[in-house]
């Protein structure tokens, strides 16, 4: 069981790394086109979508939303840095 958990944790880290590579590319595009770092409507739709997916997967939707909010905060921080030239 621990090996299985370790494998899942490794997969999650690799998936997060891939997700952040994609959001970094989005951040560069936003900076090039003068778009704001955050997109509240997209975030609202994604939150609803992920809550629904969590319910289907029998995962606490509150946890899924907290997870998503944590990720979005980091993405916005990255986008802000990119827009500032960093």
């Amino acid at each position: 069981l621990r090996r299985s958990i370790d494998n899942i944790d490794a997969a999650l880290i690799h998936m997060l790394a891939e997700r952040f590579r994609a959001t970094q590319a989005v951040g560069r595009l936003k900076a090039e086109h003068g778009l704001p770092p955050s997109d509240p409507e997209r975030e609202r739709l994604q939150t609803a979508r992920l809550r629904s997916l969590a319910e289907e997967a029998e995962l606490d939707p509150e946890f899924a939303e907290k997870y998503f909010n944590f990720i979005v905060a980091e993405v916005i921080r990255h986008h802000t840095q990119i827009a500032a030239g960093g």
Side-chain angles (χ1 to χ4, degrees), residues 28 65 69 72:
R28 287 189 295 276
E65 185 171 347
N69 288 338
V72 167

Side-chain angles (χ1 to χ4, degrees), residues 9-74:
D9 287 343
L12 287 169
I13 293 300
H14 287 282
M15 291 171 70
L16 283 171
E18 184 64 25
R19 188 186 197 289
F20 281 113
R21 279 190 287 278
T23 60
Q24 291 286 337
V26 169
R28 287 189 295 276
L29 287 171
K30 284 182 173 186
E32 288 173 16
H33 296 280
L35 298 170
S38 68
D39 183 344
E41 179 60 14
R42 164 85 173 150
E43 293 161 26
R44 185 187 69 73
L45 292 171
Q46 280 296 91
T47 297
R49 178 179 163 269
L50 293 176
R51 287 184 66 91
S52 177
L53 288 170
E55 288 175 5
E56 291 173 17
E58 298 181 10
L59 178 68
D60 180 2
E62 291 294 321
F63 173 79
E65 185 171 347
K66 287 178 189 177
Y67 157 80
F68 181 65
N69 288 338
F70 176 77
I71 298 297
V72 167
E74 187 67 8

Side-chain angles (χ1 to χ4, degrees), residues 1-17:
L1 288 173
R2 286 185 176 166
R3 189 174 309 130
S4 180
I5 290 168
D6 291 350
N7 289 340
I8 292 166
D9 287 343
L12 287 169
I13 293 300
H14 287 282
M15 291 171 70
L16 283 171

